[in-house]
Amino acid sequence: MGLLGRDIFVLLFLVIVFAFTRTGEAQSSSFLINCGTNSSITVSGRKWVGDLAPNNNLTLSSSGIAASTATLSDDSTYGPLYKTARVFTNGFNYTFQGIKGNYFVRLHFSPFSFDNYNVNESSFGVVANGLKLLSEFSVHGEISDKNAYLQSSGSNSSSSLIKEYILAINLDLLVIEFIPAKGSFGYINAIEIVPVVDTLFAGPVSKVGGNGANQNISWQGIETMYRLNVGGSEINPSQDSDLWRAWEVDSSYMITANAGFEIKNSSNITYSSVNDSSVAPLLVYESARTMSNTEVLEKRFNMSWKFGVDPDFDYLIRLHFCELVYDKENQRIFRIYINNRTAADNFNVFVRAGGKNKGYHQDFFDVVSPKVDTLWIQLGPDTAAGAAGTDALLSGLEIFKLSRNGNLAYVEKYGRGVSSPRRRSSKTQLLWVGVGAGIASVAILATLLFCFCNRWRQKSSETKNNPAGWRPLFLNGSIVNSTANAKGAAGSQNPYGAVASTRVGKRFMLAEVRAATNNFDESLVIGLGGFGKVYKGEIDDGTLVAIKRANPQSQQGLAEFETEIEMLSKLRHRHLVSLIGFCEEQNEMILVYEYMANGTLRSHLFGSDLPPLTWKLRVEACIGAARGLHYLHTGAERGIIHRDVKTTNILLDENFVAKMSDFGLSKTGPALDHTHVSTAVKGSFGYLDPEYFRRQQLTEKSDVYSFGVVLFEVVCARAVINPTLPKDQINLAEWAMKWQRQRSLETILDPRLEGSYCPESLKKFGEIAEKCLADEGKSRPTLGEVLWHLEYVLQLHEAWMRTNAGDNSFTSSQAFGALVEGEAEEGEGPPSLDEETGCSRKSTTRGSHESTEDGAEMHGH
Ligand SMILES: *[C@@H]1O[C@H](CO)[C@@H](O)[C@H](O)[C@H]1NC(C)=O
Ligand SMILES: *[C@@H]1O[C@H](CO)[C@@H](O)[C@H](O)[C@H]1NC(C)=O
Ligand SMILES: *[C@@H]1O[C@H](CO)[C@@H](O)[C@H](O)[C@H]1NC(C)=O
Ligand SMILES: *[C@@H]1O[C@H](CO)[C@@H](O)[C@H](O)[C@H]1NC(C)=O
Ligand SMILES: *[C@@H]1O[C@H](CO)[C@@H](O)[C@H](O)[C@H]1NC(C)=O
Ligand SMILES: *[C@@H]1O[C@H](CO)[C@@H](O)[C@H](O)[C@H]1NC(C)=O
Ligand SMILES: *[C@@H]1O[C@H](CO)[C@@H](O)[C@H](O)[C@H]1NC(C)=O
Ligand SMILES: *[C@@H]1O[C@H](CO)[C@@H](O)[C@H](O)[C@H]1NC(C)=O
Ligand SMILES: *[C@@H]1O[C@H](CO)[C@@H](O)[C@H](O)[C@H]1NC(C)=O
Ligand SMILES: *[C@@H]1O[C@H](CO)[C@@H](O)[C@H](O)[C@H]1NC(C)=O
Ligand SMILES: *[C@@H]1O[C@H](CO)[C@@H](O)[C@H](O)[C@H]1NC(C)=O
């Protein structure tokens, strides 16, 4: 462990006293029981013996009630098994003989209706050899709870439930006792008992935030809370050797799915230790999630997963790792946080596992206090490790709850599944109250209501901050749709038609649009966006237009499309691309914009054959874009956040006047924001505000951040993310900030600007960009301030140009600039912030500034 360096300071390695028995040579076997029948059935290659079948080494204390259904459960793996169940209204024991050692005990529950029993109302406890596994348990409650959580992140729901325990059985006998709650009943569909190898929990365990004293932990039983194949697909029980574990996908538990990038490599993966072959199937190690997305390089965030857990228990958190990319050590070093405390730092998978492609796991121990019902697992940068410390990796994750004083049961407050803060909104709260009241008025008759009221009282007194409470029990699936609707757009609540009808602008006939684009001639395509193609067209009066045609297949595009219409119909500004009209006919959704003859700002910086822009035009373009954004932030009724500021969304007209375009992701500011459910971080990688990543909170300052990146891009004329460069240069924001902090931005300046810019103005320009990239939004300037300073930069440069006019060394080396620099303006005086006219210059040599309604090129994303 000497290798692990600084970990030792943070972690305390615990001595774990296993209650587990050593099974020695005894050959233990599985018990697979199909409850409620005397017949056996083979499911996914295993034979499940009926609980009434003869010679099954199983004794039933009484016969209970055998129930069966004709409807097949939609559980794909175990469906046939769930056609029967044993129902009990009194205490009921299953006694297994000839069983000793450590076992997985899985209880299968799949609700179906039978006779007079409403399965949704069953409530019962389960005790195994004296260890309480469940109490006041409701299968229905737990399933709804879990589904609400899963569906909120777009995953499939499930109709059945498997509770998994790991038990040490010393008696040669296992008694599983089912105890229905008073007046209620219980049921069980299947019982699965599979032997566990002794080495499964043999390794060292690190205590999170160890208090310096050695500590022995012992437990009688363990409950599996979560088991995830991180970055990969679901692993079915049949794919997991002899242990038949199921591994879920992890994405539904991630706070920000964009923060992690999935990688896969299935070649030549082995276990780092020969004893580990049962710890996880190799499939788990073949995929992982990293932060090294070539697009997401704002590595000032964590990859975070959040889990609902039972308060007041100890947890064993097992993290699985396998380095799939680097074949040298010290390439990927990170920190691990569990419930916001450092669990490990300087974590180097390559070193710990002993190389590349080696499956390795590390166990952590943490105590969850009585008031906490979530467990956060976060992996993030380790700044002490330099460039290597910016990337993290995780392949798999398991969370086990440890028994305490002979108890694993927690009286569930169903509804926990949706208690995560992002699902709270005043709207759903109201709904909940409404539904609750409705139910209450019918309440008097039903016995179930008695139970409900009890819990409701408990709930409201205990966790006032969890209005989601019982909601899923009554609303079932209906609440979960809100996330799907919330995809990106404030306007998405409005049906498309409603938005369109309130809009200004001409309504085009589809025939007109077809005529304008030569029936959507591919040769007229000038841009390609997330939601469709952009064509150059010419409408009746000869005006050139850009025509954006939504791809009807794209749901997401639809929302963004609606936002764009809504935004643009409210907004008119010289530095915003204007909407001329629209067409909605035969399911087509088409927007017609002014044509921007000079295309994107980016195309004039790099990646094309176009002549480079002079420094003056670059600064002017920035000023134009800043004016447009400043207007968005302050000019409209409510502040509007563009959300996707980048050089491809800054368009230049024939006079190089810059205009902001693409409002597909825009949304109105904070006024609307806190009632608005937003799960996914939107925007373009390389420009994304790291604070937005961290806090999921969108403000105008996120645009300021992105604009800062644009400023650096304008100086350096390179892509904001260029994965082909050395690691420290990949992300422009980081790279440029490094030089800017040393006050030597000119080192990485676009070489084509050499000698043709005012050094003082570049210095100032760099300072503005640096301020925009401040880590915290509140330290960043407003766009109004940015604009003011940019005006000043322009003045510095213009003054410098006048003094240098005629200077040979300048003009000769700058022939390329002559083309577009000829329009020097005479204007002087202090810059104004007149965002309505968008023009502070005292005079211009061309009236064309004011008549740019024609001409534009639309580029997509
Ligand atoms: C199983 O039970 C059914 C009726 O419940 C009975 O007819 C049948 O004979 C039983 N089969 C065996 C193998 O005991
Ligand atoms: C019951 O136990 C005996 C002896 O341990 C074993 O031979 C037999 O296969 C078991 N039966 C079943 C159905 O597991
Ligand atoms: C079930 O087993 C437990 C413990 O062995 C015992 O106390 C209880 O009375 C049994 N219940 C029934 C219904 O047989
Ligand atoms: C139980 O709940 C499920 C889903 O919440 C519902 O579809 C089903 O109809 C309910 N069953 C009964 C018998 O009330
Ligand atoms: C949901 O289920 C469908 C059909 O079984 C499947 O094709 C799809 O991949 C599943 N989606 C997820 C997120 O698991
Ligand atoms: C932990 O267990 C070991 C061996 O069982 C024992 O020697 C040691 O004293 C225990 N430590 C504590 C703090 O209980
Ligand atoms: C997977 O790993 C093997 C062995 O390390 C390597 O040769 C191969 O290039 C990798 N494949 C991918 C797609 O990265
Ligand atoms: C596979 O792994 C083994 C052991 O780590 C190594 O000796 C062998 O060269 C590897 N093969 C490939 C193709 O990488
Ligand atoms: C594997 O387990 C055995 C027995 O538990 C132990 O003696 C051996 O040291 C272990 N090997 C490794 C590499 O941990
Ligand atoms: C950890 O931090 C998150 C967000 O910062 C917070 O919501 C959560 O309650 C914290 N968890 C604990 C256990 O403090
Ligand atoms: C990652 O999470 C931990 C714990 O919540 C927090 O202390 C740390 O600041 C986070 N790191 C980043 C870069 O957000």
Side-chain angles (χ1 to χ4, degrees), residues 91 164 199 292 310 318 433 446 459 703 707 749 752 764 805:
E164 181 185 283
T199 50
S292 69
D310 300 332
R318 170 165 290 181
V433 170
K459 185 81 206 161
D703 279 354
F707 191 72
L749 176 82
R752 299 168 305 179
K764 189 80 198 156

Side-chain angles (χ1 to χ4, degrees), residues 93 125-134 174-179:
N93 287 356
V126 179
V127 177
N129 279 3
L131 176 70
K132 229 194 245 179
L133 303 184
L134 290 169
L174 171 65
V175 182
I176 303 182
E177 195 180 351
F178 291 86
I179 309 151

Side-chain angles (χ1 to χ4, degrees), residues 269-283:
I269 290 171
T270 54
Y271 295 102
S272 70
S273 158
V274 289
N275 290 345
D276 277 358
S277 61
S278 301
V279 164
L282 284 174
L283 265 178

